[in-house]
Amino acid sequence: MVLTPAKPADPSARIEQLDALRGLAVIGIAWMNVYVFALPSQAYTNPIVWGGDGALDRIVWAASFVFVEDKFRTLFAMLFGAGCLILLERARKRGDIHPWRGHIARMLVLFALGLAHSIFLASNDVLRAYAIAGLALPWLAPLSSRALYAVAIGLVALHVGAGLVALGAAVVDFYTGRTMSDAALFAERNFGSDPGALERMVERGGEGLGERIARRAGSIPAQLVVVAGSLPLNLAAMALGMGLWKDRMLAGEWRTFRLQRIAAISALLALPALLALAWWVASNGFPAALAAMAALVLSAPFDTALGLAYTALAMAFFAPGGAVTRLLAAVGRLSLTNYLMTSLIFAAIFASWGLGLFAQVSRWQAFALSFVPGIAMLLWSPAWLPRFGQGPVERLWRATSHRLG
């Protein structure tokens, strides 16, 4: 067991474990994103709504809820925050007295990429939320690691508090039997088995590309309202990632034992609570109000804690120069391209202009298909990177941001 710290990282060099962690995150995101492409939106949080009739489907839902859902999104956002901080620090070391200008340019371009992604392919695009939340990062950058951790905790608490206000009435109405209240009907339409709402979602899943573009382009203001609701949680993860960079964990300078201890503590805090939430929803028969409350609100602190556990374990066991580390690092260095490529692959499988498998598969079948983009990333990334140095979308992002900044 290695208990000595690694050598301090060269601030101008890439950290292979950090790239590998980013690669793991973008692969893990596909394991939940597949449901957005494969099933009606209500089924994302509620397995009995569509494609979840068998025992295997319920097991896949429970495993995804406990180990996958929002954990890899948290991890990806943490690394986004750390990456932005690294670029800001490098700009200052070069003598740039206004490093925020380049950062804002990067966020504007990222928002444009996310907007295009949301219109053409993925209704759950996170790039827009990252770009908007990322505008606050230059103000967080001077803070100490402890202050950044406090910001992260406060933002998670804000998310939970807002969620309790938004969805709490539906939970109360479920337990008091008020099934026709406004709150209960809202929950049933968005997270349950309301026939009309399900029919609309199935119709949307079968629309043509031109129909999708027209509908999504016309609903941009409504989309941004939804994106705004995700900002506290995304910014919390970014602040946590910035704190972990300042604390040198993400720089690869922590001892293995310390990383293992953080992972164990975080997992012990998260796993019992997530298992209890899964049992709470399942034992009550997957009512819409409870499914939404558990997935979108109550799990948030524990998703963040388990994301931290995954981060610590990866930094402990990703050996610099190791075969697995190198392979995942190649995926991570092309993470933006790979994230968008995942949507292209899922669209080719599920959209009407592809194989048209939307609403034609069960939950476990959709999960099995989520490994297709992961395999593609692992195959093409190490072949592309040595020849071109960066992904095509990363190149576009960097060049366009440079012109704007």
Side-chain angles (χ1 to χ4, degrees):
M1 183 71 65
V2 178
L3 295 178
T4 56
K7 293 181 181 179
D10 178 355
S12 65
R14 298 195 71 95
I15 299 171
E16 195 173 43
Q17 300 104 304
L18 201 57
D19 285 328
L21 189 56
R22 191 176 289 110
L24 177 64
V26 76
I27 290 172
I29 285 174
W31 298 338
M32 287 304 298
N33 273 2
V34 67
Y35 300 123
V36 176
F37 288 85
L39 304 172
S41 61
Q42 295 90 336
Y44 187 89
T45 56
N46 196 332
I48 68 167
V49 167
W50 198 280
D53 297 329
L56 183 55
D57 296 306
R58 307 289 180 89
I59 292 170
V60 168
W61 167 81
S64 298
F65 177 84
V66 174
F67 297 105
V68 180
E69 186 177 347
D70 276 340
K71 285 73 176 175
F72 292 95
R73 178 207 56 78
T74 295
L75 182 53
F76 205 40
M78 286 167 55
L79 296 171
F80 181 84
C84 288
L85 179 58
I86 291 169
L87 291 177
L88 288 168
E89 289 178 346
R90 288 177 181 173
R92 289 192 182 95
K93 287 177 181 178
R94 290 195 304 267
D96 187 347
I97 60 174
H98 297 299
W100 53 268
R101 290 180 178 174
H103 175 79
I104 290 175
R106 288 190 292 273
M107 296 304 101
L108 291 175
V109 176
L110 186 65
F111 182 84
L113 289 171
L115 192 60
H117 182 225
S118 70
I119 291 172
F120 286 91
L121 293 171
S123 300
N124 67 326
D125 169 78
V126 300
L127 301 181
R128 296 163 299 168
Y130 284 13
I132 296 171
L135 294 174
L137 299 188
W139 283 270
L140 297 180
L143 299 179
S144 67
S145 59
R146 288 188 178 183
L148 288 165
Y149 298 150
V151 168
I153 292 170
L155 288 168
V156 171
L158 175 62
H159 172 86
V160 172
L164 289 172
V165 171
L167 297 174
V171 174
V172 172
D173 290 343
F174 166 76
Y175 279 111
T176 57
R178 298 180 63 222
T179 58
M180 299 305 293
S181 69
D182 290 342
L185 292 174
F186 171 83
E188 197 63 31
R189 284 193 300 270
N190 290 279
F191 311 106
S193 302
D194 178 83
L198 274 177
E199 184 179 355
R200 285 193 297 274
M201 290 301 104
V202 172
E203 288 175 356
R204 285 185 182 181
E207 66 189 359
L209 180 59
E211 293 174 298
R212 176 190 166 83
I213 292 172
R215 176 178 61 80
R216 293 289 292 177
S219 64
I220 290 175
Q223 296 172 39
L224 293 181
V225 171
V226 176
V227 169
S230 72
L231 293 181
L233 209 51
N234 280 303
L235 188 54
M238 292 176 194
L240 177 58
M242 295 169 74
L244 293 174
W245 171 256
K246 289 201 169 189
D247 239 350
R248 313 311 292 164
M249 186 231 264
L250 293 181
E253 297 178 16
W254 280 22
R255 294 182 177 183
T256 301
F257 175 75
R258 187 181 182 189
L259 291 165
Q260 292 172 329
R261 184 175 60 186
I262 289 293
I265 293 171
S266 299
L268 286 172
L269 288 172
L271 289 176
L274 290 167
L275 288 166
L277 286 171
W279 174 86
W280 179 54
V281 175
S283 65
N284 282 284
F286 298 95
L290 303 195
M293 180 63 77
L296 303 179
V297 181
L298 298 181
S299 67
F302 311 108
D303 294 335
T304 304
L306 198 54
L308 175 59
Y310 291 169
T311 302
L313 283 176
M315 295 304 293
F317 294 110
F318 282 164
V324 173
T325 306
R326 289 200 309 272
L327 182 58
L328 287 174
V331 175
R333 290 189 60 180
L334 276 60
S335 59
L336 180 56
T337 297
N338 281 327
Y339 172 73
L340 298 175
M341 184 189 72
T342 296
S343 295
L344 283 172
I345 292 174
F346 284 155
I349 295 172
F350 298 108
S352 64
W353 57 90
L355 297 179
L357 294 184
F358 176 80
Q360 302 299 312
V361 297
S362 68
R363 196 173 194 89
W364 77 262
Q365 290 170 333
F367 182 70
L369 289 169
S370 74
F371 287 86
V372 173
I375 293 170
M377 294 180 214
L378 292 169
L379 290 174
W380 92 280
S381 298
W384 176 279
L385 193 62
R387 298 185 63 184
F388 300 101
Q390 59 183 318
V393 184
E394 284 80 5
R395 188 180 298 278
L396 172 65
W397 186 20
R398 181 176 182 177
T400 309
S401 300
H402 181 73
R403 292 191 185 97
L404 290 177

mmCIF file of all heavy atoms in Angstrom, residues 26-55:
data_model
loop_
_atom_site.group_PDB
_atom_site.id
_atom_site.type_symbol
_atom_site.label_atom_id
_atom_site.label_comp_id
_atom_site.label_asym_id
_atom_site.label_seq_id
_atom_site.Cartn_x
_atom_site.Cartn_y
_atom_site.Cartn_z
ATOM 1 N N VAL A 26 -17.900 10.872 -18.032
ATOM 2 C CA VAL A 26 -18.672 11.002 -19.268
ATOM 3 C C VAL A 26 -19.240 9.648 -19.695
ATOM 4 O O VAL A 26 -20.335 9.577 -20.277
ATOM 5 C CB VAL A 26 -17.814 11.652 -20.379
ATOM 6 C CG1 VAL A 26 -16.805 10.687 -20.978
ATOM 7 C CG2 VAL A 26 -18.699 12.233 -21.481
ATOM 8 N N ILE A 27 -18.561 8.556 -19.376
ATOM 9 C CA ILE A 27 -19.118 7.228 -19.638
ATOM 10 C C ILE A 27 -20.295 6.975 -18.706
ATOM 11 O O ILE A 27 -21.352 6.483 -19.117
ATOM 12 C CB ILE A 27 -18.031 6.147 -19.461
ATOM 13 C CG1 ILE A 27 -16.995 6.241 -20.589
ATOM 14 C CG2 ILE A 27 -18.658 4.751 -19.453
ATOM 15 C CD1 ILE A 27 -15.794 5.335 -20.394
ATOM 16 N N GLY A 28 -20.152 7.316 -17.425
ATOM 17 C CA GLY A 28 -21.212 7.081 -16.456
ATOM 18 C C GLY A 28 -22.464 7.886 -16.730
ATOM 19 O O GLY A 28 -23.588 7.425 -16.453
ATOM 20 N N ILE A 29 -22.306 9.089 -17.270
ATOM 21 C CA ILE A 29 -23.474 9.921 -17.593
ATOM 22 C C ILE A 29 -24.379 9.217 -18.604
ATOM 23 O O ILE A 29 -25.606 9.316 -18.544
ATOM 24 C CB ILE A 29 -23.015 11.298 -18.109
ATOM 25 C CG1 ILE A 29 -22.522 12.153 -16.934
ATOM 26 C CG2 ILE A 29 -24.135 12.018 -18.844
ATOM 27 C CD1 ILE A 29 -21.907 13.468 -17.346
ATOM 28 N N ALA A 30 -23.781 8.472 -19.526
ATOM 29 C CA ALA A 30 -24.575 7.770 -20.540
ATOM 30 C C ALA A 30 -25.495 6.733 -19.920
ATOM 31 O O ALA A 30 -26.554 6.412 -20.479
ATOM 32 C CB ALA A 30 -23.644 7.099 -21.552
ATOM 33 N N TRP A 31 -25.143 6.187 -18.750
ATOM 34 C CA TRP A 31 -25.947 5.138 -18.122
ATOM 35 C C TRP A 31 -27.304 5.651 -17.651
ATOM 36 O O TRP A 31 -28.223 4.855 -17.458
ATOM 37 C CB TRP A 31 -25.185 4.516 -16.957
ATOM 38 C CG TRP A 31 -23.906 3.852 -17.365
ATOM 39 C CD1 TRP A 31 -23.584 3.395 -18.609
ATOM 40 C CD2 TRP A 31 -22.782 3.583 -16.530
ATOM 41 N NE1 TRP A 31 -22.321 2.857 -18.604
ATOM 42 C CE2 TRP A 31 -21.792 2.950 -17.346
ATOM 43 C CE3 TRP A 31 -22.492 3.793 -15.188
ATOM 44 C CZ2 TRP A 31 -20.559 2.547 -16.846
ATOM 45 C CZ3 TRP A 31 -21.255 3.392 -14.686
ATOM 46 C CH2 TRP A 31 -20.309 2.775 -15.506
ATOM 47 N N MET A 32 -27.441 6.956 -17.445
ATOM 48 C CA MET A 32 -28.753 7.528 -17.129
ATOM 49 C C MET A 32 -29.340 8.292 -18.318
ATOM 50 O O MET A 32 -30.559 8.296 -18.518
ATOM 51 C CB MET A 32 -28.664 8.453 -15.921
ATOM 52 C CG MET A 32 -28.475 7.746 -14.601
ATOM 53 S SD MET A 32 -29.734 6.494 -14.198
ATOM 54 C CE MET A 32 -31.222 7.486 -14.120
ATOM 55 N N ASN A 33 -28.493 8.923 -19.124
ATOM 56 C CA ASN A 33 -29.000 9.691 -20.265
ATOM 57 C C ASN A 33 -29.778 8.821 -21.245
ATOM 58 O O ASN A 33 -30.641 9.315 -21.971
ATOM 59 C CB ASN A 33 -27.846 10.381 -21.001
ATOM 60 C CG ASN A 33 -27.512 11.737 -20.412
ATOM 61 O OD1 ASN A 33 -28.114 12.153 -19.419
ATOM 62 N ND2 ASN A 33 -26.565 12.430 -21.003
ATOM 63 N N VAL A 34 -29.473 7.533 -21.270
ATOM 64 C CA VAL A 34 -30.154 6.651 -22.209
ATOM 65 C C VAL A 34 -31.666 6.683 -22.009
ATOM 66 O O VAL A 34 -32.439 6.589 -22.976
ATOM 67 C CB VAL A 34 -29.612 5.209 -22.084
ATOM 68 C CG1 VAL A 34 -29.963 4.584 -20.733
ATOM 69 C CG2 VAL A 34 -30.126 4.341 -23.226
ATOM 70 N N TYR A 35 -32.126 6.849 -20.772
ATOM 71 C CA TYR A 35 -33.568 6.832 -20.518
ATOM 72 C C TYR A 35 -34.267 8.047 -21.116
ATOM 73 O O TYR A 35 -35.454 7.985 -21.451
ATOM 74 C CB TYR A 35 -33.835 6.757 -19.014
ATOM 75 C CG TYR A 35 -33.239 5.526 -18.367
ATOM 76 C CD1 TYR A 35 -32.344 5.632 -17.310
ATOM 77 C CD2 TYR A 35 -33.543 4.251 -18.838
ATOM 78 C CE1 TYR A 35 -31.778 4.506 -16.729
ATOM 79 C CE2 TYR A 35 -32.981 3.127 -18.270
ATOM 80 C CZ TYR A 35 -32.100 3.253 -17.213
ATOM 81 O OH TYR A 35 -31.537 2.137 -16.653
ATOM 82 N N VAL A 36 -33.557 9.154 -21.251
ATOM 83 C CA VAL A 36 -34.133 10.351 -21.873
ATOM 84 C C VAL A 36 -34.438 10.079 -23.339
ATOM 85 O O VAL A 36 -35.434 10.568 -23.887
ATOM 86 C CB VAL A 36 -33.162 11.542 -21.725
ATOM 87 C CG1 VAL A 36 -33.686 12.767 -22.457
ATOM 88 C CG2 VAL A 36 -32.927 11.854 -20.263
ATOM 89 N N PHE A 37 -33.590 9.292 -23.985
ATOM 90 C CA PHE A 37 -33.773 8.986 -25.399
ATOM 91 C C PHE A 37 -34.688 7.783 -25.619
ATOM 92 O O PHE A 37 -35.358 7.699 -26.647
ATOM 93 C CB PHE A 37 -32.415 8.691 -26.044
ATOM 94 C CG PHE A 37 -31.543 9.887 -26.214
ATOM 95 C CD1 PHE A 37 -30.735 10.338 -25.181
ATOM 96 C CD2 PHE A 37 -31.513 10.592 -27.407
ATOM 97 C CE1 PHE A 37 -29.923 11.446 -25.323
ATOM 98 C CE2 PHE A 37 -30.707 11.705 -27.565
ATOM 99 C CZ PHE A 37 -29.907 12.140 -26.520
ATOM 100 N N ALA A 38 -34.716 6.850 -24.659
ATOM 101 C CA ALA A 38 -35.386 5.571 -24.884
ATOM 102 C C ALA A 38 -36.821 5.523 -24.392
ATOM 103 O O ALA A 38 -37.632 4.758 -24.938
ATOM 104 C CB ALA A 38 -34.594 4.448 -24.209
ATOM 105 N N LEU A 39 -37.162 6.309 -23.358
ATOM 106 C CA LEU A 39 -38.445 6.172 -22.682
ATOM 107 C C LEU A 39 -39.116 7.527 -22.512
ATOM 108 O O LEU A 39 -38.439 8.563 -22.542
ATOM 109 C CB LEU A 39 -38.234 5.530 -21.300
ATOM 110 C CG LEU A 39 -37.511 4.175 -21.262
ATOM 111 C CD1 LEU A 39 -37.204 3.784 -19.815
ATOM 112 C CD2 LEU A 39 -38.332 3.099 -21.956
ATOM 113 N N PRO A 40 -40.435 7.557 -22.307
ATOM 114 C CA PRO A 40 -41.095 8.830 -21.971
ATOM 115 C C PRO A 40 -40.456 9.458 -20.740
ATOM 116 O O PRO A 40 -39.969 8.748 -19.851
ATOM 117 C CB PRO A 40 -42.539 8.402 -21.696
ATOM 118 C CG PRO A 40 -42.714 7.134 -22.457
ATOM 119 C CD PRO A 40 -41.386 6.437 -22.409
ATOM 120 N N SER A 41 -40.477 10.778 -20.677
ATOM 121 C CA SER A 41 -39.730 11.489 -19.633
ATOM 122 C C SER A 41 -40.163 11.097 -18.228
ATOM 123 O O SER A 41 -39.354 11.107 -17.294
ATOM 124 C CB SER A 41 -39.878 13.003 -19.824
ATOM 125 O OG SER A 41 -41.242 13.395 -19.729
ATOM 126 N N GLN A 42 -41.436 10.742 -18.049
ATOM 127 C CA GLN A 42 -41.910 10.365 -16.714
ATOM 128 C C GLN A 42 -41.195 9.118 -16.188
ATOM 129 O O GLN A 42 -41.074 8.920 -14.975
ATOM 130 C CB GLN A 42 -43.423 10.113 -16.733
ATOM 131 C CG GLN A 42 -44.259 11.343 -17.038
ATOM 132 C CD GLN A 42 -44.522 11.520 -18.523
ATOM 133 O OE1 GLN A 42 -43.766 11.026 -19.366
ATOM 134 N NE2 GLN A 42 -45.590 12.222 -18.856
ATOM 135 N N ALA A 43 -40.717 8.270 -17.097
ATOM 136 C CA ALA A 43 -40.085 7.015 -16.695
ATOM 137 C C ALA A 43 -38.670 7.218 -16.186
ATOM 138 O O ALA A 43 -38.088 6.291 -15.602
ATOM 139 C CB ALA A 43 -40.071 6.039 -17.869
ATOM 140 N N TYR A 44 -38.112 8.406 -16.371
ATOM 141 C CA TYR A 44 -36.748 8.643 -15.902
ATOM 142 C C TYR A 44 -36.654 8.436 -14.394
ATOM 143 O O TYR A 44 -35.703 7.827 -13.897
ATOM 144 C CB TYR A 44 -36.314 10.058 -16.278
ATOM 145 C CG TYR A 44 -34.863 10.352 -15.979
ATOM 146 C CD1 TYR A 44 -33.889 10.079 -16.930
ATOM 147 C CD2 TYR A 44 -34.459 10.912 -14.764
ATOM 148 C CE1 TYR A 44 -32.545 10.349 -16.681
ATOM 149 C CE2 TYR A 44 -33.133 11.165 -14.500
ATOM 150 C CZ TYR A 44 -32.179 10.885 -15.461
ATOM 151 O OH TYR A 44 -30.852 11.129 -15.195
ATOM 152 N N THR A 45 -37.622 8.949 -13.667
ATOM 153 C CA THR A 45 -37.601 8.818 -12.208
ATOM 154 C C THR A 45 -38.529 7.736 -11.692
ATOM 155 O O THR A 45 -38.441 7.356 -10.524
ATOM 156 C CB THR A 45 -38.010 10.155 -11.549
ATOM 157 O OG1 THR A 45 -39.299 10.546 -12.054
ATOM 158 C CG2 THR A 45 -37.002 11.236 -11.837
ATOM 159 N N ASN A 46 -39.435 7.240 -12.539
ATOM 160 C CA ASN A 46 -40.465 6.311 -12.072
ATOM 161 C C ASN A 46 -40.494 5.069 -12.966
ATOM 162 O O ASN A 46 -40.996 5.118 -14.087
ATOM 163 C CB ASN A 46 -41.826 7.003 -12.082
ATOM 164 C CG ASN A 46 -42.859 6.258 -11.272
ATOM 165 O OD1 ASN A 46 -42.784 5.053 -11.116
ATOM 166 N ND2 ASN A 46 -43.826 6.994 -10.750
ATOM 167 N N PRO A 47 -39.993 3.933 -12.493
ATOM 168 C CA PRO A 47 -39.833 2.762 -13.373
ATOM 169 C C PRO A 47 -41.137 2.114 -13.804
ATOM 170 O O PRO A 47 -41.163 1.432 -14.831
ATOM 171 C CB PRO A 47 -38.996 1.805 -12.527
ATOM 172 C CG PRO A 47 -39.313 2.167 -11.114
ATOM 173 C CD PRO A 47 -39.492 3.656 -11.136
ATOM 174 N N ILE A 48 -42.227 2.264 -13.047
ATOM 175 C CA ILE A 48 -43.457 1.576 -13.410
ATOM 176 C C ILE A 48 -44.259 2.321 -14.466
ATOM 177 O O ILE A 48 -45.246 1.801 -14.975
ATOM 178 C CB ILE A 48 -44.350 1.318 -12.175
ATOM 179 C CG1 ILE A 48 -44.902 2.631 -11.616
ATOM 180 C CG2 ILE A 48 -43.607 0.532 -11.121
ATOM 181 C CD1 ILE A 48 -46.017 2.419 -10.613
ATOM 182 N N VAL A 49 -43.821 3.531 -14.789
ATOM 183 C CA VAL A 49 -44.550 4.323 -15.781
ATOM 184 C C VAL A 49 -44.442 3.683 -17.162
ATOM 185 O O VAL A 49 -45.410 3.607 -17.906
ATOM 186 C CB VAL A 49 -44.002 5.765 -15.806
ATOM 187 C CG1 VAL A 49 -44.509 6.518 -17.020
ATOM 188 C CG2 VAL A 49 -44.411 6.500 -14.539
ATOM 189 N N TRP A 50 -43.238 3.212 -17.512
ATOM 190 C CA TRP A 50 -43.016 2.654 -18.852
ATOM 191 C C TRP A 50 -41.764 1.777 -18.806
ATOM 192 O O TRP A 50 -40.732 2.174 -18.279
ATOM 193 C CB TRP A 50 -42.817 3.780 -19.867
ATOM 194 C CG TRP A 50 -43.018 3.350 -21.288
ATOM 195 C CD1 TRP A 50 -42.130 2.686 -22.084
ATOM 196 C CD2 TRP A 50 -44.183 3.556 -22.087
ATOM 197 N NE1 TRP A 50 -42.650 2.463 -23.316
ATOM 198 C CE2 TRP A 50 -43.926 2.993 -23.359
ATOM 199 C CE3 TRP A 50 -45.408 4.161 -21.856
ATOM 200 C CZ2 TRP A 50 -44.853 3.022 -24.398
ATOM 201 C CZ3 TRP A 50 -46.323 4.199 -22.880
ATOM 202 C CH2 TRP A 50 -46.059 3.637 -24.137
ATOM 203 N N GLY A 51 -41.880 0.597 -19.365
ATOM 204 C CA GLY A 51 -40.709 -0.256 -19.526
ATOM 205 C C GLY A 51 -40.140 -0.807 -18.244
ATOM 206 O O GLY A 51 -38.956 -1.170 -18.212
ATOM 207 N N GLY A 52 -40.949 -0.888 -17.176
ATOM 208 C CA GLY A 52 -40.417 -1.363 -15.906
ATOM 209 C C GLY A 52 -41.289 -2.427 -15.272
ATOM 210 O O GLY A 52 -41.500 -2.416 -14.055
ATOM 211 N N ASP A 53 -41.793 -3.349 -16.088
ATOM 212 C CA ASP A 53 -42.748 -4.323 -15.591
ATOM 213 C C ASP A 53 -42.105 -5.512 -14.879
ATOM 214 O O ASP A 53 -42.710 -6.108 -13.995
ATOM 215 C CB ASP A 53 -43.612 -4.853 -16.752
ATOM 216 C CG ASP A 53 -44.452 -3.748 -17.386
ATOM 217 O OD1 ASP A 53 -44.838 -2.821 -16.660
ATOM 218 O OD2 ASP A 53 -44.690 -3.817 -18.596
ATOM 219 N N GLY A 54 -40.894 -5.882 -15.261
ATOM 220 C CA GLY A 54 -40.282 -7.091 -14.725
ATOM 221 C C GLY A 54 -39.394 -6.825 -13.525
ATOM 222 O O GLY A 54 -39.032 -5.683 -13.224
ATOM 223 N N ALA A 55 -39.033 -7.919 -12.845
ATOM 224 C CA ALA A 55 -38.166 -7.806 -11.672
ATOM 225 C C ALA A 55 -36.801 -7.235 -12.052
ATOM 226 O O ALA A 55 -36.226 -6.435 -11.307
ATOM 227 C CB ALA A 55 -38.003 -9.172 -11.017
#
